[in-house]
Amino acid sequence: MTDPQQSSPSEPSDADDVERHACPKCDAQPGSPCRSRSGAVASAYHTRRFTLVPG
């Protein structure tokens, strides 16, 4: 049986890259997930936040 592949703690994930930027749509601060209009955590990051992440 093989071990599941795990990323190294020193390698940032895609979510880490996204959360380094404030969201231009909902104003969620870096390190915080996007928020819906009611203030609840959004089910997905806003597309405009992904445009801040270099490809």
Side-chain angles (χ1 to χ4, degrees):
M1 191 156 129
T2 60
D3 292 328
Q5 187 177 17
Q6 295 180 357
S7 62
S8 168
S10 62
E11 293 179 31
S13 69
D14 291 339
D16 292 331
D17 289 339
V18 171
E19 289 189 10
R20 288 191 179 140
H21 304 280
C23 180
K25 182 172 181 179
C26 67
D27 294 324
Q29 295 303 304
S32 298
C34 288
R35 300 283 175 169
S36 66
R37 284 186 219 154
S38 68
V41 173
S43 60
Y45 287 101
H46 296 122
T47 303
R48 287 190 274 179
R49 194 169 191 177
F50 282 107
T51 62
L52 298 173
V53 179

